[in-house]
Amino acid sequence: MKLRKVTAASATVFALALTATACGGGDGDNESSGGGKDKITIGIKFDQPGLGQKTPQGYAGFDVDVATYVAKKLGYEENQIEWKEAKSGDRETMLQRGDVDFIAATYSITPEREEKVDFAGPYLLAHQDVLLRADDDKIKSPEDLNSAKLCSVTGSTSAQNVKDKLAPKAQLQPYPTYSACLPGLQNGAVDALTTDDSILAGYASQPQFKGKFKLGGFKMTNENYGIGVKKGSDLKDKINKALEDMVSDKSWDKAVKDNFGPANYQNEPAPKIGDIKS
């Protein structure tokens, strides 16, 4: 791995930096922003195309781009980042134990989670939506999902929420993962797949599915993605500043286009720090 190759060099640079600081010659940037460490550990998803995905070429996705930008603003180059998989059910524990410095993993800010960890951001406002076949002209609103076959992913409440609140006659079809739903949607075994629009756009942007799916644009919920840090961490304010910089220099717009563009994702403008949409 690339990270292993640079460990020795990073250690040398770190040692020199300490020496310079002891002599009064350092400017303090690494100490204040990078915490004096030679690497930063970041939690992301490994299995969400367009957001956080581990590939043979490395790590890719919108969350990865955001996290990489933030890390650089904190004083770390890409080869100083250690990526760790942050599964949904493990995120709070990983932060509380100190397994990671921060987490950017489609991590919606909720009051329940804020009792356990702190959040910088939000950096993306997503919505629950549906993914449809590109030639579908029947499903134009959530109510049209009545009698439709809706992919229900094990462990997710998205499809059940639609059935309970919007389309009581929807027929839930169980699948193990979102990835497994896509061939079913393509061949007509199911009529729609529902979860966050950003996640759906990521799947639809994969080369093998380009032009085959479309988003409904229903905006059924608000999902405020934040960057999770340990409760009381001073990283929160530094990350917020980095996110503001990412928006102002247009890097945020580029990351959206690079990762969601093929799906024609109609994203919301970059949210203001601390502006949580209920």
Side-chain angles (χ1 to χ4, degrees), residues 42 85 212 223 271:
I42 303 173
E85 184 174 18
K212 295 180 180 178
E223 304 295 336

Side-chain angles (χ1 to χ4, degrees), residues 20 23 40 69 84 86 145 196 206 232 238 242 250-251 257 262:
C23 295
I40 188 167
Y69 184 99
K84 281 196 175 182
L145 293 169
D196 296 358
Q206 295 178 94
K238 296 172 184 177
K250 306 299 182 183
S251 296
K257 183 177 180 180

Side-chain angles (χ1 to χ4, degrees), residues 187-278:
N187 64 31
V190 295
D191 299 308
L193 163 62
T194 184
T195 186
D196 296 358
D197 53 8
S198 57
I199 296 174
L200 296 174
Y203 280 113
S205 294
Q206 295 178 94
Q208 67 269 35
F209 296 127
K210 188 174 181 180
K212 295 180 180 178
F213 301 123
K214 65 181 179 181
L215 290 165
F218 297 163
K219 298 185 177 181
M220 294 180 279
T221 63
N222 290 329
E223 304 295 336
N224 302 272
Y225 289 178
I227 292 181
V229 297
K230 190 173 184 177
K231 200 76 174 170
S233 172
D234 63 355
L235 278 179
K236 177 180 175 178
D237 290 341
K238 296 172 184 177
I239 293 173
N240 278 335
K241 177 62 170 64
L243 293 174
E244 289 175 343
D245 290 345
M246 188 175 188
V247 173
S248 64
D249 69 13
K250 306 299 182 183
S251 296
W252 188 90
D253 294 313
K254 183 179 185 302
V256 169
K257 183 177 180 180
D258 288 348
N259 293 291
F260 304 129
N264 295 316
Y265 177 46
Q266 301 300 311
N267 64 284
E268 298 279 5
K272 295 185 182 298
I273 298 302
D275 184 12
I276 311 298
K277 301 294 185 184
S278 59

Side-chain angles (χ1 to χ4, degrees), residues 15-28:
L16 290 173
L18 286 178
T19 302
T21 302
C23 295
D27 59 12

Side-chain angles (χ1 to χ4, degrees), residues 159-181:
Q160 189 64 50
N161 287 342
V162 170
K163 183 176 177 65
D164 290 345
K165 300 175 182 178
L166 298 169
K169 295 181 181 178
Q171 302 172 34
L172 303 189
Q173 305 291 312
Y175 282 75
T177 64
Y178 294 118
S179 295
C181 286

Side-chain angles (χ1 to χ4, degrees), residues 1-71:
M1 291 291 291
K2 188 175 180 182
L3 286 171
R4 293 177 180 171
K5 292 179 181 179
V6 300
T7 301
S10 298
T12 302
V13 171
F14 177 52
L16 290 173
L18 286 178
T19 302
T21 302
C23 295
D27 59 12
D29 284 349
N30 285 340
E31 184 178 354
S32 61
S33 59
K37 300 188 298 181
D38 63 349
K39 71 174 183 178
I40 188 167
T41 306
I42 303 173
I44 57 170
K45 292 292 180 68
F46 277 15
D47 59 353
Q48 285 186 339
L51 285 151
Q53 186 178 28
K54 184 178 181 180
T55 74
Q57 293 74 40
Y59 300 90
F62 181 74
D63 283 349
V64 175
D65 289 348
V66 170
T68 301
Y69 184 99
V70 168

